[in-house]
Amino acid sequence: MEALILLLVILVFGFYSFPLYSYFAFIGVYSLVFCDVGFIFWTVYLIAAFVLLIQSFRIKFITSKIVNFINKNGLLPKISATEEAALQAGTNWVEANFFKAQVNFKEIQAEKVTLLTAEEQAFLDNEVNELCEMTTDWEIFQDRDFRPDVWQFIKDKKFFGMIIPKEYGGLGFSATAHSKVIEKLVSRSQVLAITIMVPNSLGPAELILKHGTQAQKDKYLSDLALGIQVPCFGLTEPNAGSDATSITSNGVVFKDKKGKLKIRLNFEKRYITLGNIATLIGLAFVLKDPEHLLGEEEDLGITFAVIDAKTKGIDNSKRHDPLGIPFVNSPLYGKDVVINLENIIGENKGIGKGWQMLVESLSIGRGISLPSVSLGGSKLALNVVASYSQLREQFGLSINHFEGVEEKIAKIAAFTYMLNASRNYTLDAIDNGAKPGVINSIMKYHATEKFRTVVNDAMDVLGGSAIIRGENNLLAHAYFAIPISITVEGANILTRNLMQFGQGLIKSHPYIYTQINALKNNNVQSFDRAFFAHIGLVFNAFSKSLAYYVTRGQINCQKGHFQRYKQKLTWVSSEFTLLTNVALGILGPSLKKRENISARFGDILSNCYLITATLREFENNPNEKDEDLVDYICNYCFNEIQIAREEIISNIGYLGFLLPIVKINPFSTKAKDSLNAKIVKTLEENDYLKQMTSSLFISSNKEDRLAKIQEAVKLNKEAQNSFKILKEAIKNGTIQKDNSENMINELLEKNLLSKDEIEKMLEAHALKQEVISVDSFDANVYKVQR
């Protein structure tokens, strides 16, 4: 009994992260009072206390031997210069807590919410709406371009200058405003959104703003903001996609006839958005100095420069066709292109700094632009599917009453809420000064993958009307375009398998990076402190995991809404920390090479973030009608975590015996089918659907397809009771089955409905039939259209 009590108290100490000396103090007092121990025990006890508590002794007898063992067996993970740059770029944020067996809900809730300024809101309500009214997605696809007046409006209203500060003539918008502009534009046309997204993402403006000289800022930023210069950024090459460090485009330093230092460039780039129409090219290349004109180094590393597109030797005359989506995307070629050193971003200080610039700037595309596109597209899909499924009938029922359809619609709604929540949380952090590189990778992956699921499910629900292209099909082009989002800014396979956890483990873990640097610099004292703090963390995670496993997290006190999910998230965090460190102990540096294991750890980490963002969103905007969506999301994410947990344990041989233990006590299972029906029922309320899909552009033109869908749903609801009377009349034989118009008119003849009611029914029926119709074309027209 005494031994059991001693063990329990030690676990309590571990649970609360008591310092090491407290363990020795308790064990000593407890043994003296309650245990009959002799000389041998006290001798071992005192030796252990001296060795473990006094750092000089600990280093001499323990730490130095561990360091020698690591060095001898090559167990030190190698971090390349490119990885080091990625680790140094950005900041740790909320994800770091998941590596510490904790979740700080007070800190999460304290993240300041970014509100749009009056100017930003006015831009959304006016300029963005006006741009959307000027053109349609179908028109853009038929013309394969914007009309000249649309291009001019984009430039005149500074759509290309959202991230450029006002002092340089830009709009100086927050990340949140930037996102909401893209979100609304994509609901009108993905081509509009992509065209405006890219100059405000990774490109000359972003790079000059952060790394350019004052002279470069003065020279370029105003022209970029006003659209006088149209930018593109040349990074990707035939053999350098996600691995941007493998670029072969090169620049060689030389002296011209007048003795001035210049650079001769040769390059081949592809997939460059706006490349064909760009007037200012941002270019990534490897700079070499074979004649040592700049110093002793010959290979100066990846460097970025800005170049006039009309410079001799540049060819940007060709176009790519990305799955038929007509945004400007091009290859770029350069043969013996001569530029000045002043073209290098940052001039001399920017030489060789291209990779650092890149990893710092990628957060815009990963954390803002692509999630905004996915969210806007998901809101459009939700609105269309939830509306259409109320209007379309099969077997005498609206199709949203079928369980299979309910399942799809509920998932679309839940993913849309989750994308909105995670987008908001991420943007608040960015606007508050954080540079969350790991979270941005999570956002890029999950936003695009969840959007892929949303679009596929929406296509399934819409059925035949989804596969016939034309003005009436609002989702076909999003379906075509989704692989583009999946591919750009780092292919999703690599993002999941290498970046989320692979980067997060070293960057966000509280001790690993410190230990690696200490070993690298032969700093035994620093390694000693980090190593034993790491051991303490593992024991803390073990104690918490055990306690939470036995109690299913119920002992963890939480406040506010959804306390049960907060308890579970804390439990998951503890097990994630423990499992991460156990896997690291078993696999060592090879964990980095076990991509599928890394991907599953990434799944746990990312789903923890999605749950966190969802709970925060509800706390910030509590709405009883959203509770079902939060239930769905949390059950979905915890189930995904459970699957990843089991697959990790199954694939690390030494841990296989734990599989039955984790299976009998899962974090969660998927939400019940009954929840799907509740969500779909709530979506039938016009005001709620409008709230869920806020920021969509809905034209004031009543002939616009999306506007018609909204009106059709409204009229159908107004005539709902009349349609019920018609169905009852058919059922009881009062009216014989005929075409809809005849049956409706017969209701009037038999005085079952008034004339006004009949007129509303006819109007509702006519518009409903129009909405569920699909496009058809004269054969000659079809042959020439795009």
Side-chain angles (χ1 to χ4, degrees):
M1 179 60 72
E2 288 83 2
L4 181 59
I5 292 172
L6 178 64
L7 178 60
L8 287 174
V9 173
I10 288 174
L11 287 172
V12 171
F13 278 28
F15 188 97
Y16 290 105
S17 298
F18 281 22
L20 186 59
Y21 68 81
S22 64
Y23 289 80
F24 280 98
F26 172 75
I27 292 171
V29 172
Y30 188 87
S31 300
L32 186 64
V33 175
F34 296 104
C35 303
D36 184 16
V37 294
F39 174 78
I40 294 177
F41 171 82
W42 290 112
T43 301
V44 173
Y45 171 82
L46 290 172
I47 291 172
F50 272 100
V51 170
L52 290 172
L53 295 179
I54 301 173
Q55 189 185 34
S56 57
F57 287 130
R58 190 169 67 231
I59 289 173
K60 181 176 180 180
F61 293 106
I62 299 177
T63 309
S64 59
K65 292 176 173 52
I66 292 172
V67 170
N68 290 336
F69 178 79
I70 291 172
N71 290 333
K72 183 178 179 181
N73 291 277
L75 299 180
L76 174 64
K78 290 183 173 63
I79 300 178
S80 66
T82 55
E83 288 178 300
E84 182 70 32
L87 290 170
Q88 292 299 327
T91 55
N92 285 325
W93 185 46
V94 66
E95 81 286 350
N97 283 331
F98 298 127
F99 287 93
K100 299 177 191 173
Q102 60 183 251
V103 184
N104 191 332
F105 289 103
K106 286 185 179 179
E107 190 177 272
I108 291 164
Q109 209 53 44
E111 187 77 59
K112 181 183 175 184
V113 175
T114 304
L115 300 176
L116 296 184
T117 66
E119 182 182 358
E120 290 169 339
Q121 186 62 56
F123 189 83
L124 267 173
D125 295 339
N126 296 297
E127 283 83 351
V128 176
N129 280 352
E130 190 174 347
L131 176 59
C132 290
E133 288 283 15
M134 290 179 73
T135 187
T136 67
D137 193 50
W138 184 250
E139 178 186 70
I140 293 167
F141 268 75
Q142 293 311 299
D143 295 343
R144 307 289 287 173
D145 200 352
F146 303 143
R147 299 193 314 270
D149 61 313
V150 175
W151 275 116
Q152 197 58 50
F153 186 86
I154 289 170
K155 295 175 181 179
D156 289 346
K157 300 302 179 180
K158 304 182 181 180
F159 277 89
F160 288 163
M162 287 192 290
I163 65 169
I164 297 175
K166 292 181 181 179
E167 62 190 279
Y168 297 108
L171 295 174
F173 280 177
S174 63
T176 299
H178 172 185
S179 173
K180 288 185 179 293
V181 170
I182 301 303
E183 178 189 349
K184 179 173 277 193
L185 289 171
V186 80
S187 70
R188 185 58 160 176
S189 167
Q190 287 212 341
V191 181
L192 261 182
I194 292 169
T195 301
I196 289 165
M197 174 183 85
V198 171
N200 289 288
S201 182
L202 176 62
E206 170 82 1
L207 295 167
I208 292 169
L209 189 60
K210 290 186 176 180
H211 306 286
T213 64
Q214 189 58 51
Q216 289 172 334
K217 292 175 184 178
D218 293 338
K219 180 178 180 180
Y220 295 112
L221 290 180
S222 179
D223 285 352
L224 287 167
L226 296 170
I228 296 169
Q229 293 272 26
V230 177
C232 71
F233 182 64
L235 177 64
T236 307
E237 300 179 2
N239 294 301
S242 293
D243 180 15
T245 58
S246 297
I247 62 174
T248 57
S249 297
N250 65 87
V252 177
V253 181
F254 72 100
K255 278 187 179 180
D256 67 7
K257 293 178 180 179
K258 296 181 180 179
K260 185 177 180 180
L261 292 178
K262 297 203 171 181
I263 298 170
R264 180 178 290 106
L265 294 166
N266 287 279
F267 56 88
E268 179 183 354
K269 302 291 183 179
R270 64 180 183 181
Y271 313 147
I272 311 305
T273 299
L274 298 184
N276 174 250
I277 63 168
T279 61
L280 186 68
I281 297 172
L283 191 78
F285 60 94
V286 176
L287 183 60
K288 298 183 181 295
D289 183 16
E291 298 179 44
H292 302 284
L293 299 173
L294 296 174
E296 296 300 317
E297 296 283 338
E298 182 172 329
D299 189 347
L300 301 179
I302 297 174
T303 302
F304 289 167
V306 283
I307 309 165
D308 187 329
K310 293 180 180 178
T311 303
K312 184 180 178 182
I314 291 178
D315 179 6
N316 64 339
S317 61
K318 298 184 182 299
R319 286 277 298 266
H320 292 307
D321 184 3
L323 292 177
I325 311 300
F327 68 96
V328 180
N329 193 263
S330 322
L332 292 177
Y333 304 97
K335 177 69 174 175
D336 294 330
V337 178
V338 176
I339 63 171
N340 297 315
L341 294 182
E342 290 79 11
N343 289 92
I344 294 172
I345 296 176
E347 296 190 8
N348 285 3
K349 290 182 179 179
I351 292 173
K353 296 294 193 299
W355 177 245
Q356 290 92 323
M357 293 180 188
L358 177 67
V359 294
E360 288 176 14
S361 301
L362 275 174
S363 62
I364 298 296
R366 289 176 179 162
I368 301 176
S369 300
L370 290 172
S372 304
V373 168
S374 296
L375 177 58
S378 294
K379 285 186 176 182
L380 175 63
L382 174 59
N383 188 291
V384 171
V385 167
S387 301
Y388 180 88
S389 62
Q390 295 178 59
L391 301 170
R392 181 80 165 113
E393 292 187 0
Q394 292 285 277
F395 310 109
L397 284 174
S398 297
I399 63 172
N400 66 346
H401 291 145
F402 293 92
E403 284 195 354
V405 175
E406 283 178 346
E407 182 182 21
K408 299 288 188 181
I409 297 174
K411 190 197 303 180
I412 291 169
F415 281 9
T416 301
Y417 186 94
M418 180 169 63
L419 286 177
N420 188 61
S422 54
R423 186 279 303 263
N424 289 346
Y425 191 22
T426 307
L427 293 182
D428 286 340
I430 292 171
D431 280 328
N432 292 332
K435 298 177 181 178
V438 174
I439 295 300
N440 286 329
S441 293
I442 288 171
M443 283 301 299
K444 189 272 171 176
Y445 175 80
H446 279 280
T448 54
E449 289 294 343
K450 295 297 182 289
F451 183 36
R452 169 150 60 183
T453 300
V454 164
V455 171
N456 285 340
D457 286 348
M459 297 289 284
D460 285 350
V461 173
L462 296 176
S465 67
I467 63 172
I468 303 301
R469 271 188 76 228
E471 280 188 275
N472 290 329
N473 192 331
L474 297 174
L475 297 183
H477 293 154
Y479 179 77
F480 297 163
I482 188 61
I484 300 171
S485 295
I486 297 290
T487 302
V488 300
E489 300 281 14
N492 272 4
I493 292 174
L494 294 181
T495 301
R496 176 174 178 257
N497 286 48
L498 296 177
M499 294 184 65
Q500 292 180 359
F501 180 75
Q503 182 184 351
L505 176 62
I506 298 176
K507 183 174 181 62
S508 303
H509 192 287
Y511 304 115
I512 287 177
Y513 188 56
T514 303
Q515 292 172 76
I516 292 172
N517 273 340
L519 288 169
K520 184 179 176 182
N521 298 321
N522 200 29
N523 188 335
V524 182
Q525 287 81 8
S526 176
F527 176 81
D528 173 81
R529 287 190 296 271
F531 179 79
F532 281 93
H534 193 162
I535 297 297
L537 173 65
V538 173
F539 188 61
N540 171 247
F542 171 76
S543 302
K544 285 183 174 179
S545 296
L546 183 60
Y548 292 149
Y549 179 88
V550 172
T551 65
R552 289 193 55 79
Q554 298 276 8
I555 62 171
N556 182 251
C557 296
Q558 295 295 341
K559 296 179 180 179
H561 299 92
F562 296 106
Q563 295 174 24
R564 186 69 190 113
Y565 295 137
K566 292 176 181 177
Q567 290 174 333
K568 283 189 177 184
L569 188 60
T570 307
W571 175 17
V572 170
S573 177
S574 301
E575 284 212 13
F576 174 72
T577 300
L578 179 63
L579 195 54
T580 293
N581 288 287
V582 169
L584 188 62
I586 294 172
L587 299 176
S590 67
L591 176 58
K592 191 176 176 182
K593 299 176 183 177
R594 295 287 299 274
E595 292 179 23
N596 289 336
I597 296 291
S598 178
R600 290 164 184 139
F601 274 117
D603 291 342
I604 297 177
L605 178 62
S606 54
N607 277 289
C608 283
Y609 179 69
L610 295 174
I611 293 168
T612 302
T614 298
L615 295 175
R616 174 185 181 265
E617 182 69 20
F618 188 86
E619 294 274 6
N620 286 339
N621 301 288
N623 182 345
E624 185 179 346
K625 292 177 182 177
D626 289 336
E627 290 180 2
D628 292 332
L629 292 172
V630 176
D631 281 331
Y632 185 109
I633 293 163
C634 289
N635 280 291
Y636 168 83
C637 289
F638 281 124
N639 186 56
E640 291 292 299
I641 290 169
Q642 176 67 21
I643 292 169
R645 174 199 200 193
E646 292 176 11
E647 291 181 350
I648 290 168
I649 289 170
S650 298
N651 285 280
I652 299 178
Y654 296 102
L655 300 181
F657 73 94
L658 293 173
L659 192 57
I661 298 173
V662 300
K663 279 191 171 186
I664 63 172
N665 193 21
F667 292 126
S668 184
T669 56
K670 287 178 69 174
K672 293 181 180 179
D673 292 343
S674 58
L675 190 59
N676 297 335
K678 290 174 68 179
I679 291 170
V680 173
K681 183 68 177 174
T682 309
L683 287 170
E684 290 181 356
E685 300 176 24
N686 284 352
D687 288 343
Y688 183 68
L689 180 60
K690 186 176 180 180
Q691 171 202 310
M692 277 287 295
T693 59
S694 63
S695 299
L696 281 186
F697 171 75
I698 298 178
S699 176
S700 58
N701 180 0
K702 291 184 179 181
E703 294 303 308
D704 183 84
R705 178 66 168 182
L706 189 55
K708 276 185 180 179
I709 292 175
Q710 315 307 304
E711 183 64 16
V713 171
K714 177 173 170 285
L715 292 177
N716 197 57
K717 286 186 181 299
E718 290 175 356
Q720 193 170 28
N721 289 333
S722 299
F723 282 114
K724 283 182 181 178
I725 291 172
L726 174 60
K727 286 183 179 180
E728 284 296 320
I730 295 170
K731 187 176 180 181
N732 60 34
T734 305
I735 289 177
Q736 296 302 310
K737 207 161 187 182
D738 197 351
N739 69 60
S740 297
E741 288 80 0
N742 289 343
M743 290 189 295
I744 291 171
N745 287 323
E746 193 175 346
L747 289 172
L748 179 62
E749 293 171 6
K750 295 187 176 180
N751 294 317
L752 294 174
L753 289 175
S754 69
K755 186 177 180 181
D756 287 343
E757 289 171 322
I758 293 296
E759 286 178 356
K760 283 188 177 180
M761 278 187 78
L762 288 170
E763 184 184 7
H765 175 72
L767 191 55
K768 179 166 71 171
Q769 291 305 112
E770 188 175 350
V771 163
I772 66 174
S773 66
V774 298
D775 295 280
S776 60
F777 307 94
D778 180 272
N780 293 325
V781 172
Y782 175 75
K783 289 177 181 179
V784 298
Q785 76 177 12
R786 298 177 185 275

